[in-house]
Amino acid sequence: MDIRVKCTDEEPEALEQEIPARRQRLLQFTNCRLVRGHRIIHEDLWVRDGRIVNPEPVFFDERAKAHCRIDCGGAIVAPGYIDLQINGGYGVDFSHDTETIEEGVAMVARGLVKSGVTSFCPTLVTSPSDSYHTILPRIPAEVSRGAGILGIHVEGPFINPQKKGAHPEHCIQTIDKGLSTLKETYGSLDRIKIITLAPEKVTDPEVIGQLVERGITVALGHSMASLSDGEGAVQQGATLITHLFNAMLPFHHRDPGLVGLLASDAVPHGRTVYFGIISDGVHTHPAALRIAYRTHPQGLILVTDAISALGLEEGVHHIGQLPLEVKQGKAFIAGTETLCGSIAPMDECVRIFQKATDCSVVYAIEAATLHPAQCLGIEQQKGTLDFGSDADFILLDDQLRVLSTWIAGVCVHRTAK
Amino acid sequence: MRLVILETSNSVGEWAAKYVMKRINDFQPSADRYFVLGLPTGSTPLGMYKELIEFYKQGKVSFQYVKTFNMDEYVGLARDHHESYHYFMWNNFFKHIDIEPKNVHILDGNAADLVAECNNFEDQIREAGGVELFIGGIGPDGHIAFNEPGSSLVSRTRVKTLAQDTLEANARFFENDMSKVPKQALTVGVGTVMDSKEVMILITGAHKAFALYKAIEEGVNHMWTVSAFQQHANTLMICDEDATLELRVKTVKYFKGILRDLDEGSQLEGYKN
């Protein structure tokens, strides 16, 4: 199921070069099964200037034909995956490798396209203030031929020490002075896209709203919050739950905790509470995946929460301020049985999720594309194959394995046969 | 006139597609000599378009050197409205084949000056060298394109107000809300179609039977505008059994006999490119 390219002028290899002039070329991807409008449809995909275009006005108004026709061999064409929580990979740890952060992010961005990820939020775990001050401004805004960077996810340090998981306790802080504390701790809020915090530790009722006003998504996690704590935070503007089930109180029938937000009646009308869930086959039991999926399917977002060992072999590596160990396909804090993050790439998470829940192929894909885009409010540009959106897409076979990855209409990865 | 009577409406679409393919391929169009095709919309032509797309995909026919002129388009309907004829042609035909966008001509029902748009369309047909084969359907009231009863039989492309019959037939496509149904359309005239070298009319269904009877067994009459093609040297009508229900047995036997005797049908059925 390889792609076949036919261009009116130049070599097919031109599609893989990232030369600006080429961007004006009109590309027509034929013989595809597009994921569009919550269905799989037999339609061609038209791309120009790094965007998905509507072919009808191109035909009737511009009277133009495609420069290149790319036969997708019947592959499923889906929007590129979006990962909202990823701590590193390929030996890189975003929170730890301060000196080489630019190269580190670039390496991860280029590695991620192999698993079909076209946009991500580099995630920093609970770290000392200095680390944030150094790292945040140095994370690149974009990486050529790599997955796009949507902004930074700061997971901590305003979490509950009782639910720290693998985060270093001595770096955990409290929000004493509202927004000023956050600015002091992080240095600047400019590059931040998502903040995970424990709502029961937030005393100032204005803080969440102020963060949301700045376009930051407030996520709840690493928390001992009761359901009503969670509901309060949601009413103040929180819209995401960080890795559901992990680092929070378990569901209890008289106080469902944060898990209860999936069925809460206190969520403001018209608002959706999204939740990240790690479906690496380790962090969440398949039955738990099914419960979450059945309870609140429109809010489900697949995240990898992948750590530096993603893409690496068995052995000892580093995470945050602590060493970790990969054994038997899982990652633990070295010397303990505490899981400290997943190493399953996103395409594997999608496959595992689809198999565990028996959901439709379209839904499994939307959980990793449309939903994260909606959560961040960027669904006009990312997460869909709608006209006008960025041409970040992937070709998948029927087993949902990645055949090729395209960013802004340029092929950045082709899986070897 | 040739009347080809086939069993089902699907057969009509398939036969018509084979005929179009044969005509294009026999013509051997090139950059210096385009094949000019007049096209209709509707459920019967839909079957023909599907077959033509298949033939294109099988490499049996190319539209690279074909120019097309559609018969009609609603006035005031957005081009991307699901009922517009631009929408129909794009989704059911043009986007699946290799036709050059600049060789496609469909009247623009949203043009600022509708009369100029119609006159311009006539000029474009003239510049293209005239239509080689004009394909059309027939309304229950015997109209060709939107040449409603009472249309001049020598009319040209112009703005027409739609008859009540037509509005009612269309209502189901506009949620049965008469206020949403377009009241006017731009249409080629009877004279415009008569100018073409060959006319092929597709007629399927019992509800078209009376119109077919009026068109071929009665006189030339502007109340049944398809009857004008009795005076065209090369009229070809393709219909299914149901559409013959109002014809005389004698007429049906005559034309079925021709088909059988000449083996024309089977020759064309087995046509290979």
Side-chain angles (χ1 to χ4, degrees):
Chain A
M1 216 197 263
D2 194 15
I3 59 174
R4 285 189 302 279
V5 183
K6 213 189 323 181
C7 295
T8 54
D9 41 13
E10 300 177 39
E11 316 291 316
E13 285 71 47
L15 287 170
E16 301 190 14
Q17 315 292 332
E18 224 205 294
I19 300 168
R22 298 241 158 74
R23 291 274 176 97
Q24 267 89 65
R25 295 156 72 87
L26 183 60
L27 309 178
Q28 181 185 5
F29 293 80
T30 63
N31 199 4
C32 333
R33 287 178 285 156
L34 295 191
V35 176
R36 190 186 268 163
H38 309 295
R39 286 162 41 225
I40 290 186
I41 57 175
H42 290 266
E43 280 283 353
D44 292 349
L45 183 73
W46 293 71
V47 173
R48 184 169 56 187
D49 284 345
R51 294 252 169 90
I52 296 170
V53 295
N54 182 355
E56 194 259 14
V58 172
F59 187 89
F60 285 124
D61 292 328
E62 296 177 40
R63 306 269 168 185
K65 277 187 97 163
H67 291 110
C68 291
R69 300 187 79 193
I70 300 112
D71 184 335
C72 297
I76 294 171
V77 179
Y81 295 142
I82 299 174
D83 196 353
L84 299 188
Q85 187 172 6
I86 170 167
N87 309 285
Y90 308 94
V92 173
D93 179 346
F94 298 140
S95 309
H96 186 253
D97 301 338
T98 348
E99 288 315 302
T100 53
I101 190 68
E102 290 90 347
E103 295 90 60
V105 171
M107 182 176 290
V108 173
R110 294 195 183 114
L112 284 178
V113 300
K114 298 189 198 122
S115 53
V117 174
T118 56
S119 301
F120 70 113
C121 289
T123 305
L124 301 178
V125 297
T126 297
S127 303
S129 274
D130 284 346
S131 294
Y132 295 117
H133 287 240
T134 316
I135 296 171
L136 286 178
R138 284 174 58 182
I139 292 190
E142 57 182 32
V143 170
S144 77
R145 304 188 65 81
I149 293 155
L150 298 173
I152 298 158
H153 179 168
V154 283
E155 190 191 6
F158 306 108
I159 56 175
N160 193 321
Q162 292 175 280
K163 285 292 178 188
K164 65 181 190 292
H167 292 218
E169 182 157 4
H170 67 280
C171 300
I172 291 175
Q173 296 183 43
T174 48
I175 304 179
D176 300 316
K177 287 178 278 163
L179 205 61
S180 336
T181 310
L182 285 133
K183 286 186 185 161
E184 265 171 47
T185 303
Y186 297 126
S188 157
L189 301 178
D190 290 343
R191 308 289 320 279
I192 296 176
K193 192 67 196 159
I194 306 173
I195 295 182
T196 292
L197 47 74
E200 73 279 16
K201 294 294 208 169
V202 179
T203 43
D204 182 351
E206 310 259 313
V207 162
I208 292 179
Q210 287 166 338
L211 290 170
V212 171
E213 254 171 56
R214 298 172 110 81
I216 294 175
T217 299
V218 174
L220 309 177
H222 287 275
S223 158
M224 296 280 285
S226 63
L227 177 55
S228 78
D229 289 331
E231 283 167 343
V234 167
Q235 279 155 3
Q236 286 158 26
T239 48
L240 178 61
I241 304 170
T242 299
H243 46 54
L244 188 79
F245 299 128
N246 297 108
M248 58 183 64
L249 289 172
F251 172 84
H252 185 284
H253 54 288
R254 277 193 297 276
D255 184 352
L258 291 179
V259 178
L261 287 171
L262 268 59
S264 163
D265 61 356
V267 175
H269 184 66
R271 188 102 66 76
T272 302
V273 173
Y274 292 93
F275 58 98
I277 198 160
I278 305 171
S279 84
D280 63 337
V282 174
H283 279 69
T284 318
H285 193 284
L289 283 178
R290 287 188 286 273
I291 286 173
Y293 162 63
R294 290 176 199 172
T295 307
H296 184 42
Q298 60 268 48
L300 194 147
I301 292 176
L302 296 175
V303 299
T304 60
D305 197 15
I307 53 171
S308 54
L310 166 77
L312 298 182
E313 273 135 36
E314 313 257 299
V316 179
H317 309 273
H318 290 281
I319 178 175
Q321 308 287 315
L322 305 170
L324 63 82
E325 185 180 359
V326 175
K327 50 184 191 214
Q328 292 152 1
K330 301 178 197 176
F332 302 87
I333 301 177
T336 75
E337 291 298 303
T338 307
L339 292 167
C340 60
S342 161
I343 53 175
M346 182 61 94
D347 61 321
E348 203 177 307
C349 292
V350 170
R351 287 190 295 272
I352 292 171
F353 179 82
Q354 193 281 319
K355 202 147 163 263
T357 58
D358 200 26
C359 66
S360 68
V361 160
V362 170
Y363 180 87
I365 290 169
E366 286 183 343
T369 56
L370 176 66
H371 296 177
Q374 287 170 330
C375 175
L376 259 43
I378 56 173
E379 69 268 32
Q380 299 303 318
Q381 304 106 279
K382 305 282 187 198
T384 71
L385 296 181
D386 293 347
F387 302 139
S389 62
D390 291 351
D392 298 344
F393 55 93
I394 51 181
L395 269 59
L396 301 167
D397 66 15
D398 287 332
Q399 284 71 49
L400 301 184
R401 285 181 300 229
V402 175
L403 298 169
S404 60
T405 305
W406 301 67
I407 293 182
V410 175
C411 183
V412 293
H413 167 73
R414 231 193 256 194
T415 305
K417 266 167 297 199
Chain B
M1 178 194 78
R2 294 159 290 163
L3 180 64
V4 174
I5 302 167
L6 303 170
E7 268 202 49
T8 66
S9 62
N10 285 346
S11 326
V12 170
E14 282 164 27
W15 199 102
K18 282 182 188 152
Y19 189 74
V20 171
M21 173 172 67
K22 173 176 156 57
R23 286 285 268 113
I24 293 173
N25 289 334
D26 286 351
F27 188 88
Q28 295 180 329
S30 65
D32 307 310
R33 194 169 155 263
Y34 279 78
F35 188 96
V36 185
L37 196 52
L39 295 178
T41 54
S43 51
T44 311
L46 187 59
M48 176 186 74
Y49 291 132
K50 281 198 164 87
E51 281 300 304
L52 283 171
I53 292 165
E54 268 316 298
F55 293 152
Y56 161 69
K57 285 185 175 156
Q58 290 161 14
K60 293 179 177 169
V61 71
S62 163
F63 295 89
Q64 212 196 338
Y65 298 118
V66 172
K67 286 187 177 164
T68 65
F69 289 89
N70 264 68
M71 293 191 126
D72 42 20
E73 175 61 285
Y74 290 114
V75 168
L77 200 59
R79 196 181 69 205
D80 58 1
H81 188 284
H82 283 216
E83 292 304 318
S84 94
Y85 289 168
H86 279 81
Y87 182 92
F88 180 98
M89 291 307 299
W90 166 247
N91 283 292
N92 294 315
F93 196 45
F94 296 137
K95 78 178 181 194
H96 304 278
I97 58 172
D98 64 340
I99 194 162
E100 289 291 327
K102 56 181 168 48
N103 290 336
V104 164
H105 303 267
I106 308 179
L107 286 156
D108 178 7
N110 292 302
D113 185 344
L114 295 174
V115 175
E117 172 68 13
C118 293
N119 294 340
N120 193 39
F121 201 71
E122 289 277 337
D123 291 340
Q124 287 171 341
I125 293 176
R126 215 175 358 260
E127 273 154 32
V131 175
E132 180 69 26
L133 171 64
F134 220 128
I135 308 169
I138 190 172
D141 58 2
H143 70 229
I144 174 86
F146 277 125
N147 291 287
E148 309 285 55
S151 293
S152 159
L153 299 181
V154 293
S155 51
R156 311 305 304 184
T157 305
R158 68 223 184 284
V159 185
K160 280 293 285 186
T161 301
L162 305 181
Q164 186 59 25
D165 270 355
T166 306
L167 297 180
E168 279 166 19
N170 284 347
R172 71 184 203 268
F173 300 123
F174 294 90
E175 297 142 27
N176 281 313
D177 181 355
M178 285 307 259
S179 71
K180 293 205 171 107
V181 182
K183 305 294 181 293
Q184 287 190 320
L186 304 184
T187 180
V188 292
V190 181
T192 317
V193 182
M194 282 290 287
D195 281 353
S196 57
K197 289 231 183 52
E198 184 175 12
V199 177
M200 176 168 82
I201 312 285
L202 310 178
I203 312 115
T204 58
H207 60 301
K208 301 286 176 78
F210 192 73
L212 179 59
Y213 148 65
K214 281 289 185 183
I216 68 176
E217 285 187 343
E218 296 281 309
V220 173
N221 186 326
H222 69 170
M223 284 300 169
W224 302 90
T225 50
V226 177
S227 65
F229 299 111
Q230 292 178 24
Q231 299 202 295
H232 191 290
N234 280 317
T235 299
L236 173 60
M237 298 213 175
I238 328 289
C239 70
D240 62 359
E241 292 281 353
D242 282 349
T244 64
L245 288 172
E246 295 287 346
L247 298 179
R248 283 185 166 171
V249 175
K250 188 164 146 185
T251 309
V252 173
K253 284 196 170 199
Y254 174 67
F255 286 107
K256 276 189 173 172
I258 296 178
L259 209 58
R260 187 182 56 240
D261 293 347
L262 292 186
D263 224 20
E264 209 181 85
S266 58
Q267 269 177 13
L268 288 166
E269 288 289 336
Y271 175 80
K272 287 184 198 344
N273 182 16

